[in-house]
Amino acid sequence: AGLAVLRAALAEDVGRGDVTTLAVVPERASLEAAIVVRAAGRIAGLELSLEAFRLVDSRVRAAACVPDGSDVNAGAVLAQVSGSARAILSAERVALNLLGHLSGIATATAAAVRAVGEHRARIADTRKTTPGLRLLEKYAVRIGGGVNHRMGLDDGVLIKDNHIAIAGGVREAIERARAARHHLLRIEVECDTLEQVEEAISSGADAVLLDNMTVGQVAEAVALVKGRALVEASGGVKLEDIPAIAATGVDLISIGWLTHSAPALDVALDAGIGGRDSGVGEAAT
């Protein structure tokens, strides 16, 4: 999946050819450079991102200096790249875009996990992902210390407000889902009120999702459930809200912005610090 994403991204970016690089950079020019990070964060997708250079030219040497999951400071060297200058410059933006995006997600997730503190709540993602990048973005969440919610609509039963409205109620929706589901699939119900929480639990739901409830309502819901089902808080959760929500005793806190709005980590390709004889020059004969 990752290589397919890179190939599509390179086709989108390079198109019929990098006209600037082809015009300015000699065909036999070589380049040694480093990928560096401009801000502190957690790294995700580094090895995959380096494949962008090899896809343009298999002779390019690209070696990671840190593993995924590393917490790095600003200025850290993440990888060394050397080989055809044309290939490296043509693949640069795709590699950096993917690395910055996935590392931004991992960094945001790590901050959310730290905000939980000593409470048991786990930080989870949602399906609010970039089309075509879900597997990679959810991988980055795991690198950040979070857990994955459903990978897709076939991965679990989550009865939402529209399902409830069409079915005619919480109990009716659960009964229909129970009759149709695979025996290994859990049933989770999105609840807007404490009354819906009680109805979902009494109807045999395995989990309840507390949608846009206040911290006080979340605490009441946890007390109402009394361990009979998994309790997930979701909807409008900000980083500063996490400690109070986690303190209520919920099992999960799911956050859409981990994947749809996390700022990319600032990474760059710097020539001249890649290693011995770094810089641009003519390739050896």
Side-chain angles (χ1 to χ4, degrees):
L3 290 179
V5 167
L6 286 175
R7 290 190 181 98
L10 286 168
E12 175 184 64
D13 198 37
V14 178
R16 291 170 294 176
D18 179 356
V19 294
T20 306
T21 297
L22 291 174
V24 174
V25 179
E27 181 179 0
R28 297 174 59 234
S30 63
L31 175 66
E32 291 193 20
I35 294 177
V36 298
V37 61
R38 303 297 195 205
R42 181 165 297 186
I43 302 305
L46 179 55
E47 289 284 1
L48 176 61
S49 299
L50 295 179
E51 287 296 329
F53 298 105
R54 302 186 188 104
L55 286 175
V56 175
D57 186 339
S58 61
R59 296 168 296 180
V60 170
R61 296 181 298 277
C65 299
V66 299
D68 275 5
S70 298
D71 290 316
V72 298
N73 295 320
V77 175
L78 306 181
Q80 306 279 7
V81 184
S82 62
S84 164
R86 284 186 172 183
I88 292 171
L89 294 179
S90 294
E92 173 186 359
R93 181 42 50 200
V94 167
L96 297 182
N97 280 354
L98 185 62
L99 176 59
H101 178 57
L102 297 183
S103 296
I105 291 171
T107 299
T109 304
V113 170
R114 286 194 297 272
V116 170
E118 298 181 355
H119 301 293
R120 69 180 184 183
R122 294 172 294 169
I123 297 297
D125 53 29
T126 71
R127 286 172 41 248
K128 295 178 181 179
T129 55
T130 308
L133 296 184
R134 178 168 294 171
L135 288 176
L136 298 181
E137 291 176 344
K138 282 181 172 282
Y139 163 76
V141 167
R142 294 190 67 87
I143 290 297
V147 298
N148 297 144
H149 214 288
R150 293 186 297 173
M151 295 300 292
L153 294 173
D154 60 350
D155 198 32
V157 176
L158 176 50
I159 299 171
K160 299 174 74 67
D161 54 356
N162 288 330
H163 298 118
I164 294 170
I166 293 170
V170 171
R171 186 177 303 277
E172 292 80 359
I174 291 175
E175 289 175 351
R176 292 184 188 183
R178 184 180 295 112
R181 70 168 176 172
H182 186 280
H183 70 283
L184 294 179
L185 292 181
R186 287 186 174 186
I187 295 176
E188 183 172 17
V189 180
E190 179 181 276
C191 299
D192 298 321
T193 66
L194 294 176
E195 290 73 22
Q196 285 184 330
V197 171
E198 179 55 47
E199 186 175 5
I201 297 301
S202 64
S203 300
D206 301 297
V208 290
L209 186 155
L210 311 179
D211 186 39
N212 285 298
M213 289 191 181
T214 66
V215 173
Q217 290 171 324
V218 171
E220 289 185 66
V222 170
L224 182 63
V225 173
K226 295 180 181 177
R228 293 176 290 171
L230 182 146
V231 180
E232 173 184 352
S234 188
V237 176
K238 299 177 182 177
L239 185 62
E240 58 266 28
D241 300 329
I242 293 175
I245 296 173
T248 66
V250 295
D251 301 288
L252 288 171
I253 302 173
S254 54
I255 305 172
W257 54 258
L258 294 179
T259 50
H260 72 60
S261 297
L265 191 64
D266 189 3
V267 292
L269 182 76
D270 282 356
I273 63 172
R276 187 179 60 187
D277 299 326
S278 297
V280 178
E282 291 293 322
T285 56

